[in-house]
Amino acid sequence: MTTIFDERQCKLGEGPLWHPERQQLFWFDVLNKKLMSRENGTAKSWEFDEYVSAAGWVSKTELLIASASKLFLFNLDTKTSMKLCDMEADNRVTRSNDGRADPKGGFWIGTMGIEAEAGAGSIYRFYKGELRKLFSGITITNAICFAPDGNKAYFSDTDTQNIQQLMLDDQGWPTGTPKLFVDLTGDNLNPDGAVVDSEGYLWNAQWGANRVARYSPEGQFVEEISFPAKQISCPAFGGAELQTLFATSAAVDLSGVDEGKTFFAQTGTRGQLEHRIIL
């Protein structure tokens, strides 16, 4: 059974992050340029001057946040920001989209065209102060997540309706070329954000399908959790036992009462702790 976690309707809810030290969920309303949360039952938000879409945790008070033009450190207590590096700052066509910290302390972040321009996006990794481009020519970057053994990464170009798997070296850098993990073209499904649980199963939000679907480490469909919002955008595990699956959604182009809200469902599966970013 799914339950509403936050009633606020996001135009484009994205990037849920369970902060393990704060025991608190953060997420974004990308198109309204907001970071959102709930603390002790109270709704909170922080507004920025450009699109923000994804984050990782650095300390109890600091998040690394990806915006349209940079990666920056944001202090939740003082509400102050410090730029870490530019990211496509000279490209007015793109913004950040999906991202997640990896098991080695790096942060992967994808970009995309603001109007989903074909092939405008890339995927980067920020690791120990260096931002390096990994892939380019992507239309809608999504599904960035990591196997618990730290040896595999996943990502998607939603436009292709495929999820790719990639091997990693002992420093967390890609080795070889991506290979097909899940092909959703036959079912006409659109992969959005994803997370991997502690057993190595991938949970993928599927835009337009009201669901998060679970796939085995071999890429086989196992089960789904259905939600009342059509455009489910990204899942995250959290809660005291990491068995609560949170999911963001988007109200853009829709008028339903539940569209854009943030949900949760209890599962019998334990997620992974979100990895800490090492600056």
Side-chain angles (χ1 to χ4, degrees):
M1 187 178 90
T2 59
T3 305
I4 294 172
F5 177 73
D6 190 273
E7 292 275 359
R8 290 172 290 177
Q9 288 186 284
C10 295
K11 194 171 182 180
L12 178 54
E14 261 292 1
L17 168 73
W18 180 260
H19 194 306
E21 291 192 350
R22 298 176 70 100
Q23 292 288 290
Q24 183 177 353
L25 186 74
F26 294 89
W27 69 99
F28 295 89
D29 186 349
V30 179
L31 298 183
N32 283 320
K33 304 174 182 177
K34 289 181 179 180
L35 171 67
M36 305 178 74
S37 189
R38 297 191 68 83
E39 190 169 11
N40 299 321
T42 301
K44 303 189 72 173
S45 66
W46 300 263
E47 193 163 348
F48 298 90
D49 59 3
E50 60 181 11
Y51 299 122
V52 285
S53 67
W57 72 280
V58 176
S59 69
K60 190 169 184 178
T61 59
E62 294 171 311
L63 300 179
L64 182 156
I65 295 179
S67 75
S69 68
K70 61 183 177 290
L71 300 180
F72 65 95
L73 203 59
F74 182 67
N75 190 300
L76 295 161
D77 290 348
T78 64
K79 303 178 184 178
T80 55
S81 300
M82 183 182 75
K83 185 172 80 171
L84 296 173
C85 67
D86 288 325
M87 185 178 67
E88 300 189 2
D90 58 349
N91 187 345
R92 294 181 177 272
V93 171
T94 61
R95 64 167 175 84
S96 63
N97 196 45
D98 188 69
R100 190 176 300 278
D102 67 36
K104 305 298 183 181
F107 183 70
W108 291 44
I109 180 67
T111 62
M112 63 174 285
I114 293 170
E115 302 297 333
E117 289 86 346
S122 298
I123 293 178
Y124 297 83
R125 185 185 188 220
F126 180 78
Y127 183 62
K128 297 183 178 180
E130 176 194 4
L131 184 69
R132 186 186 302 180
K133 183 184 289 188
L134 304 179
F135 304 102
S136 59
I138 297 172
T139 299
I140 304 175
T141 55
N142 262 315
I144 294 172
C145 55
F146 305 92
D149 62 11
N151 294 327
K152 292 184 288 293
Y154 302 89
F155 71 90
S156 174
D157 181 346
T158 300
D159 195 54
T160 68
Q161 298 184 306
N162 289 327
I163 301 173
Q164 303 289 320
Q165 182 187 85
L166 185 66
M167 300 306 294
L168 305 176
D169 66 19
D170 58 4
Q171 294 295 310
W173 295 106
T175 62
T177 57
K179 69 174 185 178
L180 181 66
F181 177 65
V182 175
D183 183 353
L184 297 172
T185 57
D187 296 319
N188 195 29
L189 292 168
N190 302 302
D192 209 306
V195 67
V196 180
D197 65 30
S198 61
E199 299 172 13
Y201 287 68
L202 184 146
W203 298 70
N204 178 236
Q206 294 173 344
W207 182 269
N210 297 79
R211 76 175 193 169
V212 173
R214 187 186 189 212
Y215 296 89
S216 73
E218 295 73 41
Q220 300 300 310
F221 173 78
V222 177
E223 61 180 313
E224 69 173 47
I225 296 179
S226 297
F227 294 88
K230 186 175 183 181
Q231 294 173 162
I232 297 297
S233 54
C234 193
F237 278 100
E241 302 299 323
L242 293 177
Q243 291 185 318
T244 303
L245 187 76
F246 295 96
T248 51
S249 71
V252 63
D253 298 328
L254 299 175
S255 59
V257 66
D258 288 325
E259 310 298 348
K261 295 181 178 179
T262 302
F263 304 90
F264 72 92
Q266 298 302 329
T267 74
T269 302
R270 183 178 173 87
Q272 300 182 67
L273 279 175
E274 287 291 344
H275 302 291
R276 179 179 181 176
I277 296 171
I278 302 171
L279 297 181

